[in-house]
Amino acid sequence: MRNLDQYNITQAVLARLSQTPDPRLKQIMTSLVQHLHAFAREVKLTEAEWMAGIEFLTATGHKCDDQRQEFILLSDTLGLSMLTVALNNDKPAGCTEATVFGPFHVEDAPRVEHGADVANGAPGEPCQVRGSVRGLGGEAVAGAEIDVWQADADGLYDVQREGLEHAQGRAVLRSGPDGRFHFRSVVAEPYPIPDDGPVGDMLRATKRHPWRPAHLHFMIRAPGYETLVTHVFRDGDPYLDSDAVFGVRQSLVADWVKQPDGSTTLDFDFVLNPVKP
Ligand code: BEZ
Ligand code: FE
């Protein structure tokens, strides 16, 4: 095909994809080309703007290394990560809702017993976290693997502290025979997502802040149930309605309660979705 113009080039590209053997790849590539071309037409993309976009994506790639995934951060801040979570975790009413995984999970966090101090030296106000893991039918889920991770009072995860050799604010424990678990930690605080790269530039250019409301991350796995990746958010946080990555669900907001003896406690019960037979 020759002499392609703004009116027939989209069809020409789609025709070039028509022999793609993998049907899902064909569907995704076809839709991607249609939407990209429609976007360029809608905004009447200039050549300078196209080049600025190429440079932005190049800088995003250059910012990535073993510790930093700027493309995921871009997806998070554009709401694509949370949209993908929502599209793939449509659980029955009563199940705990899922939210974004985030970049700060670590494989092989220390395995601890109930009552352990997960903070392990991380700065912050001490708190007790207690909860249970149940199935949708109300049954206790014994032996569920509960992977928890959180930022400390400085808004930092242990992996963001240069030179820190041991885990802080993260651990893996198992629910007891009654499905219950408890551990000690520090009260979660809000923190800004990393904004010293191209994603930070994008946030500033669009007058957005980089803050996430205070939360604990949980990943809960048990045989016979769908794995749950979620957070528990802290009620009263000023960023609950403007989370930089759009991850807040009202059902995941809980109270860190000040007790009469001065201690702080968080109680949260998780409900897992059984895997369909
Ligand atoms: C987090 O909650 O750890 C997180 C999620 C998305 C982007 C950055 C951080
Ligand atoms: Fe987080």
Side-chain angles (χ1 to χ4, degrees):
M1 245 190 157
R2 298 189 186 176
N3 299 332
L4 293 168
D5 58 28
Q6 59 174 306
Y7 303 105
N8 59 14
I9 188 163
T10 304
Q11 264 325 108
V13 179
L14 295 182
R16 201 74 65 85
L17 295 171
S18 65
Q19 301 305 313
T20 307
D22 180 330
R24 179 65 176 159
L25 180 63
K26 183 176 172 184
Q27 181 189 15
I28 288 174
M29 290 299 296
T30 300
S31 182
L32 181 66
V33 167
Q34 282 170 330
H35 283 86
L36 270 178
H37 285 212
F39 155 74
R41 283 195 185 90
E42 183 179 315
V43 301
K44 203 162 187 326
L45 195 67
T46 69
E47 286 162 292
E49 288 160 349
W50 173 86
M51 188 42 113
I54 296 290
E55 284 167 357
F56 175 80
L57 291 174
T58 304
T60 300
H62 285 161
K63 196 71 188 169
C64 293
D65 59 26
D66 288 351
Q67 304 293 325
R68 177 83 174 250
Q69 231 305 351
E70 194 76 359
F71 276 111
I72 294 185
L73 211 53
L74 180 59
S75 160
D76 294 341
T77 52
L78 294 180
L80 180 60
S81 306
M82 194 57 211
L83 172 60
T84 307
V85 168
L87 287 170
N88 289 281
N89 290 273
D90 197 9
K91 299 172 197 290
C95 288
T96 305
E97 292 186 279
T99 189
V100 286
F101 191 57
F104 297 122
H105 178 260
V106 166
E107 293 296 334
D108 299 326
R111 294 187 170 264
V112 301
E113 297 299 323
H114 293 184
D117 180 14
V118 161
N120 199 18
E125 184 193 331
C127 74
Q128 272 273 356
V129 180
R130 304 178 297 218
S132 65
V133 184
R134 304 201 161 272
L136 191 55
E139 69 281 13
V141 179
E145 189 175 272
I146 302 160
D147 199 330
V148 56
W149 65 107
Q150 70 165 103
D152 61 26
D154 297 330
L156 293 174
Y157 287 83
D158 54 1
V159 290
Q160 294 175 290
R161 290 193 180 275
E162 234 165 86
L164 184 67
E165 300 274 318
H166 62 279
Q168 285 187 332
R170 70 177 71 245
V172 180
L173 66 161
R174 283 191 182 275
S175 56
D178 55 358
R180 298 201 61 80
F181 66 90
H182 65 108
F183 60 87
R184 288 176 291 141
S185 191
V186 288
V187 175
E189 300 291 346
Y191 64 85
I193 61 169
D195 67 345
D196 58 341
V199 170
D201 294 340
M202 182 272 288
L203 292 177
R204 281 180 288 278
T206 53
K207 284 267 183 280
R208 289 174 56 185
H209 71 68
W211 288 85
R212 296 217 66 205
H215 57 272
L216 292 185
H217 291 258
F218 285 91
M219 176 160 62
I220 303 184
R221 287 184 273 213
Y225 296 90
E226 288 177 4
T227 295
L228 173 66
V229 174
T230 195
H231 300 0
V232 178
F233 293 94
R234 188 171 161 203
D235 200 10
D237 189 287
Y239 299 109
L240 281 172
D241 289 315
S242 63
D243 180 8
V245 305
F246 307 95
V248 178
R249 321 285 304 174
Q250 181 56 36
S251 69
L252 302 177
V253 178
D255 244 345
W256 269 247
V257 180
K258 206 72 176 157
Q259 300 296 340
D261 68 359
S263 65
T264 300
T265 56
L266 166 68
D267 290 278
F268 199 86
D269 297 323
F270 296 92
V271 180
L272 303 184
N273 194 21
V275 173
K276 285 171 204 73

